Amino acid sequence: MTLTDQQPLGSPFSAVTTAEDIVAGQDLAGRTAVVTGGYSGLGLETTQALTAVGARVIVPARRPDVARAALQGVRGCEVIPMDLADLDSVRSAAAHISDCLHRLDLLMAVAGVMATPERRVGPGWEGQLTTNHFGHFTLACELYPLLAAAGGARVVVNSSAGHALTGIRWHDPHFRTGYDKWLAYGQAKTANALFTVHLDALGQGDGVRAFAVHPGKIITGLQREMTLQEQIDRGWVDEHGNVIGAGFKPPSQGAATGLWAATSPLLNARGGLYLEDCDVARVSAPDTPMDDGGVRAYAVDPDEAARLWDLSVAATGATPITDTPGQPTRRSAANGRGI
C-alpha cells in the first residue's frame, strides 16, 4: 500500500448508504464473522446485517448477559465473554473460537472506548490504547490461523476522524507524563489505522486483507464516558440529549462503511486502506479540519505501521505473523511485557 492507493474508487454507495443497502442481495451463508462490540450501536447494526444474509456471527462481549439480551431476537449469532482490556481474557476468547471453527471469514473490530477518564490496565498501560488497539491486535494474532484458512478473509477495524488529533506518541504512548483523554483517543484511533496497514502487508500472501474504517459521526454508547454538558458544549446534542449537530449519521448509516469494507468486490486484491462514506478516503493535509474527512498521511504510513507492530508485539507478547505465504503463526505467547 502506498499513499497513491489512498484514492476514492467511485463506489456506488455514499455517506447516506445504510447497512441494509450494503447487504441487499448478498448471500453470506457458510461465512463466519467475529464482531467485537456486536451487541450495541454500530456493532449491533453490523451483527443484524450480517446474520440477515446468512452469516454466522460470534460476538465477544465484556458484558455477555447484556449482549445476549440485546441479541435475543437475532438468529445466527452467539455471545462469548471477552474483555479487550484484559489480554488473558482476549486469549481465552480466541481459544474458544479456535476450538469451534476451522476458518474465519471476517474479523470486525467495532468495539471501543472514547475520551475516558485516565485508567491504567495490565502493567500500567493507558486504557484507551489497550482497549482499542492492544486488545484487537492480540485477538487478530490469535485468530490469524483461522483467517488464513479462509482463503480470502477480511479484517475491518473501526478507526475515526479522531486520528487527526495525533499520531503515535512514541516518546510517551502511555501518557506517563500527563494524561489528555482526547489525545489518548486520537492516538488509539491512529493505532487502529496503522494496525491494518501492517496486518495487510503481512497477511495478503495468505489472502488476509485488512481495512480501517471511519464510520462517521454517530451518537452511540461510545459517548457514555462523556457528560451531557460536554456533549452540549461540543454542539452535538441539546439539553435533552437529542442530536442536533450537523453531519451526524444514524447507526445504520454508520455501520455501512464497515460492511462495505467486509463485502465489496471493489476491494478485491486491495487492502491496507482507510475508508469513509463507503469509499476509499483521500489523504488529507495536516491543517485540514477533522470533520472535512480524509486520512492523515501518518495514519497510513507503512514505516509507522511497522514500528507500531513491533511495539505491539513487544507489549503483548504476540508471536509475529509471518509474511511467508502458507505459513501463518499458530499461537501467541502467554505473557505480555510492559513498555
Side-chain angles (χ1 to χ4, degrees):
M1 201 284 293
T2 66
L3 292 183
T4 56
D5 297 317
Q6 196 65 56
Q7 297 286 341
L9 299 177
S11 164
F13 301 113
S14 70
V16 298
T17 297
T18 66
E20 294 79 10
D21 294 334
I22 294 293
V23 300
Q26 297 202 41
D27 181 3
L28 298 185
R31 305 285 186 89
T32 302
V34 169
V35 180
T36 70
Y39 62 99
S40 66
L42 304 184
L44 178 57
E45 293 283 348
T46 300
T47 298
Q48 291 172 327
L50 291 173
T51 56
V53 290
R56 175 188 180 188
V57 178
I58 298 173
V59 178
R62 184 174 59 85
R63 302 173 296 165
D65 291 344
V66 174
R68 291 187 183 100
L71 294 166
Q72 191 171 15
V74 181
R75 299 182 62 183
C77 70
E78 58 194 282
V79 174
I80 63 171
M82 188 185 77
D83 182 350
L84 284 166
D86 178 348
L87 298 194
D88 286 339
S89 170
V90 173
R91 293 185 184 102
S92 177
H96 177 81
I97 293 169
S98 297
D99 287 343
C100 297
L101 303 179
H102 66 275
R103 57 178 279 172
L104 178 63
D105 300 282
L106 293 173
L107 172 57
M108 303 192 69
V110 183
V113 294
M114 181 178 77
T116 63
E118 183 174 6
R119 291 197 183 102
R120 298 287 157 184
V121 298
W125 294 337
E126 191 279 311
Q128 295 192 72
L129 183 64
T130 303
T131 300
N132 293 342
H133 172 58
F134 285 152
H136 283 125
F137 175 86
T138 301
L139 183 64
C141 287
E142 291 284 343
L143 295 179
Y144 186 80
L146 295 179
L147 293 165
R154 293 187 186 182
V155 177
V156 181
V157 180
N158 275 26
S159 181
S160 164
H163 81 272
L165 293 168
T166 181
I168 303 300
R169 292 161 43 95
W170 300 112
H171 66 291
D172 185 20
H174 291 289
F175 290 81
R176 304 193 192 282
T177 58
Y179 183 69
D180 181 305
K181 67 180 184 180
W182 284 108
L183 289 182
Y185 177 66
Q187 175 181 246
K189 293 293 104 178
T190 293
N192 288 150
L194 289 173
F195 166 47
T196 64
V197 171
H198 202 65
L199 175 59
D200 186 80
L202 295 177
Q204 58 185 274
D206 289 319
V208 179
R209 307 310 302 256
F211 302 90
V213 168
H214 169 42
K217 295 165 60 179
I218 309 104
I219 296 293
T220 65
L222 189 64
Q223 292 80 20
R224 60 185 171 272
E225 300 277 4
M226 298 177 66
T227 66
L228 176 61
Q229 191 58 52
E230 282 182 283
Q231 297 181 56
I232 292 171
D233 292 345
R234 287 179 170 269
W236 295 352
V237 300
D238 63 20
E239 63 271 20
H240 304 294
N242 300 312
V243 178
I244 58 172
F248 278 86
K249 297 180 179 182
S252 181
Q253 291 179 0
T257 301
L259 288 162
W260 184 75
T263 62
S264 175
L266 285 178
L267 296 173
N268 290 347
R270 300 178 188 269
L273 299 169
Y274 178 98
L275 314 177
E276 64 183 2
D277 294 337
C278 300
D279 208 335
V280 178
R282 292 184 174 86
V283 176
S284 58
D287 58 350
T288 303
M290 183 191 308
D291 288 345
D292 285 2
V295 59
R296 297 293 198 261
Y298 59 70
V300 289
D301 181 281
D303 292 334
E304 291 283 284
R307 185 178 180 184
L308 177 66
W309 190 275
D310 290 343
L311 180 154
S312 304
V313 168
T316 65
T319 303
I321 293 169
T322 179
D323 56 1
T324 303
Q327 299 180 30
T329 292
R330 298 305 306 174
R331 186 59 60 191
S332 69
N335 296 305
R337 299 189 295 277
I339 56 174

